[in-house]
């Protein structure tokens, strides 16, 4: 069945409306030989974000009668395990792949999958090579960064910002890493220089409310222990840090632990991205000041539904109007709102959190 997917996608007379996905109305894939096969490949199962994504995909697959295979990297950044999972999906004759890409090394394998007729949807992280996937379902990561950047600037109230930037990697470029980092600085009103890179902005200057100093960028691997080590390194450079940006909430927890151990949490502003239940609790507890909540369950559910719909009706998903991906939404979560900055409370976010 997967060998004709691309032909049917191109021949489809109707496309899904931008920003919406239609359900096929089928409860299963029909006879055994007609069952839709989908492989979900996540970055790692050590992060609740990807566990929630898997749960969303499994629920959607059960509802639609999709034969779902799940694979994962051993850790964030493990490209080899993901490449093997892609090759397995091709060998199995799956109809499609949903993947949170661990790095550019995976993309050649995805091109081979597309050439073999599989429909490939990137989840959460757009690939560096747009030809390696058919479409991306993701958070607007630049916007997610902007939201917490705008909030941070308002929270500072004109005070000097001494900023620690705790990113994902320092040995590879992943779009989500760059976009959140650059969105945060842009939201604060800091010139990002080249928006396709990070770390090239001026180390000192003016943000929208006053003066700033960027102490440095450190990698965390998106993990709690990595966030702790990154924060310790930056504190050793400048103990007066009062703003911490982190790529995700596990890194934020680790960073806060480092500041707490150093007795440096008074007046500290921590801003992050994810919106998992633990992160929402951290907002309620005052550990994280604000986070941008994204929706991994929705990404995975819509991805499974999209491939099922393509196989059974020939109807392919479309990108959101004005964007080059399908936007699955983002909300700023804080219990310290500021006028003119749209947000939801931690209590409201808890009703839709994951993990």
């Amino acid at each position: 069945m997967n060998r004709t997917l691309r032909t049917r996608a191109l021949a489809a007379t109707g496309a899904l409306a931008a920003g919406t996905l239609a359900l096929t109305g089928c409860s299963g894939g029909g006879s055994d030989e007609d069952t839709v096969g989908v492989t979900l490949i996540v970055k790692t199962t050590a992060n609740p974000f990807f566990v929630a994504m898997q749960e969303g995909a499994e629920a959607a697959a059960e509802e639609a009668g999709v034969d779902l295979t799940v694979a994962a990297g051993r850790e964030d950044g493990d490209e080899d395990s993901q490449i093997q999972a892609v090759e397995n999906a091709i060998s199995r004759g799956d109809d499609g792949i949903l993947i949170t890409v661990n790095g550019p090394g995976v993309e050649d394998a995805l091109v081979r999958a597309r050439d073999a007729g599989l429909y490939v949807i990137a989840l959460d992280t757009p690939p560096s090579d747009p030809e390696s996937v058919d479409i991306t379902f993701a958070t607007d990561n630049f916007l997610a960064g902007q939201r917490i950047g705008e909030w941070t600037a308002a929270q500072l109230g004109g005070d000097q910002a001494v900023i620690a930037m705790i990113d994902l990697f320092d040995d590879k470029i992943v779009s989500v890493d760059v976009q959140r980092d650059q969105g945060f600085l842009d939201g604060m009103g800091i010139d990002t220089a080249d928006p396709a890179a990070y770390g090239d902005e001026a180390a000192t200057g003016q943000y929208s409310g006053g003066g700033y100093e960027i102490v440095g960028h450190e990698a965390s691997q998106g993990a709690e222990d990595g966030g702790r080590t990154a924060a310790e390194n930056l504190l050793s450079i400048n103990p007066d840090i009062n703003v911490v940006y982190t790529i995700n909430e596990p890194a934020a927890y680790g960073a806060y632990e480092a500041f707490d151990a150093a007795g440096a949490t008074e007046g500290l502003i921590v801003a992050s991205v994810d919106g998992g239940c633990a992160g929402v609790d951290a907002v309620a507890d005052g550990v994280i000041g604000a986070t941008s909540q994204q929706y991994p369950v929705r990404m995975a559910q819509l991805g499974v539904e999209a491939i099922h719909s393509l196989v059974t009706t020939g109807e392919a998903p479309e990108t959101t109007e004005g964007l080059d991906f399908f936007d699955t939404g983002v909300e700023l979560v804080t219990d310290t709102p500021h006028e003119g900055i749209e947000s939801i409370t931690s209590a409201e976010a808890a009703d839709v959190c994951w993990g």
Side-chain angles (χ1 to χ4, degrees), residues 1 4 12 76 83-84 92 141 148 150 184 194 196 198 244 261 299 301 303 319 322 331 343 351:
M1 186 186 303
T4 61
D76 206 333
I83 291 169
Q84 184 60 58
R92 210 167 25 245
N141 283 297
I148 56 173
E150 290 169 357
F184 173 77
D194 179 0
Y198 62 72
V244 178
M299 289 179 202
Q301 287 175 330
T319 57
E331 294 287 349
S343 64
D351 290 336

Side-chain angles (χ1 to χ4, degrees), residues 33 53 57 66 70 192 216 279 320 344:
E33 61 269 22
M53 187 174 282
V66 166
V70 179
T192 60
T320 300
I344 62 175

Side-chain angles (χ1 to χ4, degrees), residues 179-313:
Q179 290 166 3
R180 292 181 187 179
D181 176 301
Q182 297 292 270
F184 173 77
L185 294 178
D186 183 81
M188 285 200 66
I190 295 171
D191 184 358
T192 60
D194 179 0
Y198 62 72
D200 62 341
E201 68 280 342
T204 60
Q206 295 293 121
Y207 75 96
S208 59
Y212 78 83
E213 174 188 350
I214 294 177
V215 177
H217 293 254
E218 288 281 330
S220 66
Q221 312 301 314
E224 186 170 340
D225 57 348
R228 185 185 308 110
T229 300
E232 289 169 348
N233 291 342
L234 291 165
L235 277 168
S236 71
I237 298 170
N238 189 331
D240 296 326
I241 293 168
N242 61 352
V243 171
V244 178
Y245 154 85
T246 67
I247 179 68
N248 65 7
E249 289 160 0
Y253 311 146
Y256 187 87
E257 290 169 2
F259 278 83
D260 189 40
T265 59
E266 185 176 354
L268 181 67
I269 298 171
V270 179
S272 194
V273 178
D274 260 351
C277 294
V280 170
D281 287 344
V283 172
D285 292 341
V287 171
I288 296 175
T291 191
S292 285
Q293 186 173 55
Q294 50 182 345
Y295 302 102
V297 174
R298 183 185 302 166
M299 289 179 202
Q301 287 175 330
L302 294 177
V304 170
E305 291 164 4
I307 293 174
H308 183 258
S309 180
L310 176 61
V311 173
T312 57
T313 72

